[in-house]
């Protein structure tokens, strides 16, 4: 069934799930029914057998390599998505008697804080959700609590398009939701208690969530929890307490192999910066486009802006789509335009969008 859909070339600006590297999909397709001559799909094998084990441990090793994860950190492959982590973090590290600090910079940060409130006390360190343009708090706006169990933040707010370019220094263990910018740049893992990311933006397909956590911090967690929700249990079982999502982990393995072949996260960061700059330059070239994120906090992963009217935005989306640039519509909660340009997104797509933006502004 060689339909038009399988031969169509588009620039895919989807925010999540986002595009995968072409070579990864090609390899996955080739190996789909017959994994490395075994006569079976990787999906049809025991999750404790030697062939799958290589993939499982390979994905973990690749993440350790890519992010220079120190030995006193655990890399876990879990299920339940980033929002599963919104729940698991307070379950493990918060009690009705203790307080956690949450930096609320957008929709995701707020959702995380809401979940923690179910378990214990939450101090909102800063709240910039309603600020327009979207922005991150300044250092002097952060109201830390005295004995926070941990601090939670969102490194890249996918919906509004703001990103922390330097991280706050905290007394309590810092936990970052890096779902939309993991592997997009080097980070100093040892400055975090934990970082986590569900896979469908920069790591592969939905279904697996990577958690990188300091071992001492993990050991301090609540023991009085069902095993499925204890980080320490998953660590002891090598992320195979129950059947792991073997196919998403296989894709994670391929994506991390690809990332290593790109030259690792330092090389990927350079590429990402170039891509974002091309689009931001087009955005700043005239006042036809209205950026919705504060300049100093602009995300390199999600570029957000508006036009004069919704009508014009719809026209923009339609003409862009006609030229093969799809999924540029902003999140339903904020509207406008959003160009998501994760690691796998090619520079040619950013250049095509910039050229289109220039033409469209001239025409209208
Ligand atoms: C997409 C996204 C989420 C939601 O992830 P799920 O895996 O669907 O739970 C959470 N946080 C951030 C920053 C995101 O971009």
């Amino acid at each position: 069934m060689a339909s038009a859909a399988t031969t169509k070339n588009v620039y895919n600006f989807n925010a999540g799930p986002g595009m995968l590297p072409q070579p990864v999909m090609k390899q996955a397709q080739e190996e789909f029914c017959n994994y490395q001559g075994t006569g079976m799909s990787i999906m049809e094998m025991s999750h404790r057998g030697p062939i799958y084990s290589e993939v499982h441990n390979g994905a973990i090793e690749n993440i350790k390599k890519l992010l220079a994860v120190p030995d006193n950190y655990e890399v876990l492959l879990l299920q339940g998505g980033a929002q599963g982590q919104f729940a698991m973090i307070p379950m493990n590290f918060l009690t009705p008697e203790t307080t956690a600090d949450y930096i609320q910079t957008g929709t995701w940060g707020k959702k995380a804080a809401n979940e923690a409130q179910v378990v214990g006390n939450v101090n909102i360190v800063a709240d910039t959700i309603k600020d327009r343009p979207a922005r991150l708090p300044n250092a002097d706006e952060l109201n830390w609590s005295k004995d926070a169990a941990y601090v939670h933040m969102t490194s890249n707010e996918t919906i509004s398009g703001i990103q922390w370019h330097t991280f706050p220094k905290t007394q309590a263990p810092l936990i970052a939701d890096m779902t939309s910018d993991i592997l997009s740049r080097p980070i100093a893992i040892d400055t975090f208690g934990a970082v986590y990311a569900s896979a469908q933006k920069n790591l592969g397909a939905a279904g697996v969530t990577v958690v990188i956590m300091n071992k001492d911090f993990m050991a301090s967690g609540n023991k009085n929890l069902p095993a499925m929700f204890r980080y320490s249990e998953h660590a002891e079982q090598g992320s195979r307490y129950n059947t792991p999502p073997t196919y998403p982990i296989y894709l994670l393995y391929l994506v991390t192999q690809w990332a290593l072949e790109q030259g690792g996260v330092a090389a990927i960061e350079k590429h990402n910066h170039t891509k974002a700059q091309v689009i931001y330059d087009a955005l700043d070239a005239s006042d036809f486009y209205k950026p919705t994120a504060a300049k100093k906090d602009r995300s390199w992963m999600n570029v957000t802006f508006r036009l004069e009217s919704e009508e014009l935005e719809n026209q923009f989306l339609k003409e862009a789509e006609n030229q093969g640039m799809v999924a540029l519509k902003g999140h339903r909660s904020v509207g406008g335009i959003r160009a998501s340009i994760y690691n796998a997104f090619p520079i040619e797509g950013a250049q095509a969008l910039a050229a289109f933006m220039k033409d469209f502004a001239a025409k209208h």
Side-chain angles (χ1 to χ4, degrees):
M1 212 178 67
S3 67
T6 57
T7 53
K8 190 170 168 184
N9 280 320
V10 297
Y11 290 121
N12 175 359
F13 289 90
N14 262 310
M19 70 170 291
L20 288 164
Q22 275 291 328
V24 165
M25 287 197 287
K26 283 262 183 299
Q27 186 175 345
Q29 184 182 39
E30 278 162 23
E31 295 179 335
F32 192 76
C33 295
N34 183 358
Y35 182 71
Q36 305 207 338
T38 56
M40 294 176 277
S41 170
I42 191 79
M43 276 185 288
E44 303 175 293
M45 291 178 196
S46 165
H47 59 289
R48 304 195 190 276
I51 298 168
Y52 172 74
S53 289
E54 244 175 67
V55 168
H56 186 92
N57 296 328
I60 292 172
E61 281 314 306
N62 285 349
I63 288 163
K64 285 185 179 170
K65 243 186 257 172
L66 285 162
L67 290 174
V69 177
D71 288 341
N72 59 331
Y73 280 73
E74 214 48 87
V75 175
L76 303 178
L77 308 178
L78 305 181
Q79 297 177 67
Q83 296 186 72
Q85 294 307 302
F86 292 178
M88 243 176 111
I89 290 161
M91 286 164 77
N92 279 263
F93 301 112
L94 193 59
T95 70
E97 288 76 43
T98 59
T99 299
D101 279 354
Y102 276 73
I103 310 178
Q104 223 166 250
T105 49
T107 309
W108 294 120
K110 185 179 169 61
K111 278 199 158 183
N114 287 352
E115 289 292 79
Q117 259 152 10
V118 176
V119 180
N121 304 298
V122 168
N123 168 50
I124 302 299
V125 181
D127 182 352
T128 60
I129 291 185
K130 294 208 168 67
D131 292 18
R132 296 291 177 272
R135 67 175 190 101
L136 297 171
N138 301 317
D140 61 4
E141 295 174 289
L142 300 170
N143 299 306
W144 306 111
S145 57
K146 258 208 220 57
D147 292 304
Y150 61 85
V151 177
H152 184 277
M153 65 174 298
T154 313
S155 58
N156 183 72
E157 285 286 1
T158 323
I159 292 174
S160 54
I162 53 175
Q163 186 177 26
W164 292 80
H165 295 290
T166 56
F167 291 96
K169 296 229 169 358
T170 59
Q171 299 252 297
L174 180 60
I175 303 179
D177 174 2
M178 295 196 172
T179 295
S180 54
D181 69 349
I182 196 158
L183 297 194
S184 73
R185 54 179 170 172
I187 44 167
I189 291 290
D190 62 357
T191 60
F192 294 91
V195 309
Y196 64 92
S198 51
Q200 67 273 17
K201 282 144 193 171
N202 258 335
L203 296 175
V208 62
T209 302
V210 173
V211 178
I212 306 172
M213 186 174 283
N214 179 283
K215 289 179 183 174
D216 290 336
F217 181 53
M218 184 185 291
S220 76
N222 184 4
K223 309 278 181 295
N224 190 24
L225 277 178
M228 187 65 194
F229 301 107
R230 282 200 310 269
Y231 290 108
S232 54
E233 183 68 30
H234 288 286
E236 271 165 41
Q237 305 287 338
S239 298
R240 285 186 275 200
Y241 169 70
N242 68 326
T243 312
T246 53
Y247 201 73
I249 291 172
Y250 159 74
L251 290 172
L252 172 66
Y253 175 64
L254 296 189
V255 168
T256 51
Q257 287 288 105
W258 170 85
L260 286 165
E261 284 158 19
Q262 302 309 298
V265 285
I268 288 173
E269 178 186 40
K270 251 193 216 151
H271 192 232
N272 285 338
H273 195 194
T274 309
K275 287 187 305 195
Q277 203 55 51
V278 166
I279 301 175
Y280 282 121
D281 283 348
L283 199 56
D284 292 334
S286 75
D287 54 14
F288 184 79
Y289 298 104
K290 328 253 173 248
T292 52
K295 203 161 187 172
K296 69 174 178 48
D297 301 323
R298 284 176 171 177
S299 168
W300 295 3
M301 297 279 99
N302 312 94
V303 180
T304 55
F305 57 94
R306 300 217 64 144
L307 277 73
E308 198 54 55
S309 67
E310 234 172 90
E311 204 184 343
L312 203 54
E313 285 169 355
N314 289 335
Q315 187 67 21
F316 180 95
L317 292 168
K318 207 168 109 198
E319 288 186 29
E321 186 152 348
N322 285 341
Q323 298 194 22
M325 286 170 270
V326 302
L328 281 161
K329 196 174 172 59
H331 190 269
R332 57 191 145 77
S333 63
V334 294
I337 312 292
R338 172 173 55 172
S340 297
I341 46 173
Y342 300 122
N343 290 347
F345 192 86
I347 179 79
E348 293 78 13
Q351 288 160 342
L353 177 62
F356 169 72
M357 286 170 70
K358 198 171 156 220
D359 286 351
F360 189 87
K363 225 166 67 186
H364 297 274

